[in-house]
Amino acid sequence: MTLGNRRRFSYSPIDRSIDIYSVKIIDILYILNNKSGMDGVDKKISRLIQSDGRISSAQIAEAVGVSVSTANERLRRLVAQGIVKEWRGVLDPDKVGAALCVFVFVDVSYEGEAEACAALIQFPEVLELHHISGPHSYLMKVRVQNTTALQQFMQTCVKPLKAVLKTETILSLEAQKETTAVKISPQSDER
């Protein structure tokens, strides 16, 4: 659709025509129409980039049915809103010397708990640290080269922390699934 020599395009599920140069109006309508922060197009884009972080804007645009500039703007907005937290490569742990995956229950005393957590998350061997319910205080996911490296890590990094009372380690024999992709809830606004 054109108006003189200025291009126009359709925006939003209500099919409003908005001047392509009126980006501020688009942002306002986007916010008003999407209280959750994500509409169907955003969710489709999010699914695509979770499965392939190197997908081009042109490929996203084609898959979602929008222009390349719209795909770029949507990606920029997803990053600005903190929905896309980071861009990174996923490495094969076996090929980089971190073949052994373990889960460690860590019991800590209240005194010094914050300091212990701050110290634990600084170690590159610690992939995840979760405050959990149940008989233990924290669950830590650790990757190291082998059991010797695990023993050294536990003795030199974890157990010397004053707040650490006890640990219990569980070795993973084989990972059936390991992913960072999260499920994106479908809603009626998806196209």
Side-chain angles (χ1 to χ4, degrees):
M1 176 184 268
T2 61
L3 178 65
N5 60 359
R6 297 176 76 182
R7 290 182 56 224
R8 296 174 67 82
F9 69 100
S10 178
Y11 178 79
S12 90
I14 305 172
D15 192 32
R16 294 185 181 133
S17 291
I18 298 174
D19 190 0
I20 195 165
Y21 302 105
S22 304
V23 176
K24 298 290 183 202
I25 294 172
I26 293 170
D27 290 338
I28 292 167
L29 287 173
Y30 181 85
I31 291 166
L32 292 174
N33 287 333
N34 300 292
K35 293 180 179 76
S36 69
M38 292 178 71
D39 66 3
V41 172
D42 288 337
K43 290 177 183 183
K44 287 177 183 178
I45 290 171
S46 297
R47 287 185 191 102
L48 288 168
I49 62 174
Q50 276 195 122
S51 65
D52 180 5
R54 296 180 65 185
I55 189 170
S56 71
S57 295
Q59 291 170 310
I60 291 171
E62 184 178 336
V64 177
V66 297
S67 70
V68 174
S69 62
T70 299
N72 281 330
E73 177 60 25
R74 293 296 188 110
L75 274 173
R76 184 201 60 76
R77 190 175 300 146
L78 290 170
V79 171
Q81 290 176 336
I83 294 168
V84 176
K85 291 174 62 173
E86 50 188 68
W87 299 92
R88 60 184 166 160
V90 179
L91 305 179
D92 183 339
D94 293 338
K95 294 179 181 174
V96 295
L100 182 63
C101 178
V102 299
F103 297 91
V104 182
F105 289 112
V106 182
D107 295 338
V108 297
S109 64
Y110 181 73
E111 279 188 39
E113 179 178 1
E115 294 82 4
C117 289
L120 289 171
I121 63 173
Q122 295 305 312
F123 298 118
E125 296 88 350
V126 176
L127 303 181
E128 299 175 22
L129 181 65
H130 300 270
H131 193 200
I132 59 172
S133 63
H136 302 287
S137 305
Y138 290 88
L139 175 64
M140 187 167 58
K141 182 179 180 181
V142 175
R143 275 206 175 268
V144 290
Q145 185 174 13
N146 52 34
T147 55
T148 303
L150 173 62
Q151 184 175 1
Q152 182 180 1
F153 172 71
M154 295 299 290
Q155 288 178 344
T156 61
C157 299
V158 179
K159 293 191 176 186
L161 297 172
K162 291 181 183 179
V164 173
L165 303 172
K166 181 177 123 183
T167 63
E168 181 181 338
T169 304
I170 300 168
L171 276 73
S172 172
L173 300 176
E174 178 185 18
Q176 297 294 317
K177 180 179 181 179
E178 253 185 316
T179 184
T180 57
V182 296
K183 180 181 178 189
I184 301 167
S185 300
Q187 292 191 356
S188 60
D189 61 356
E190 290 206 37
R191 300 196 241 176

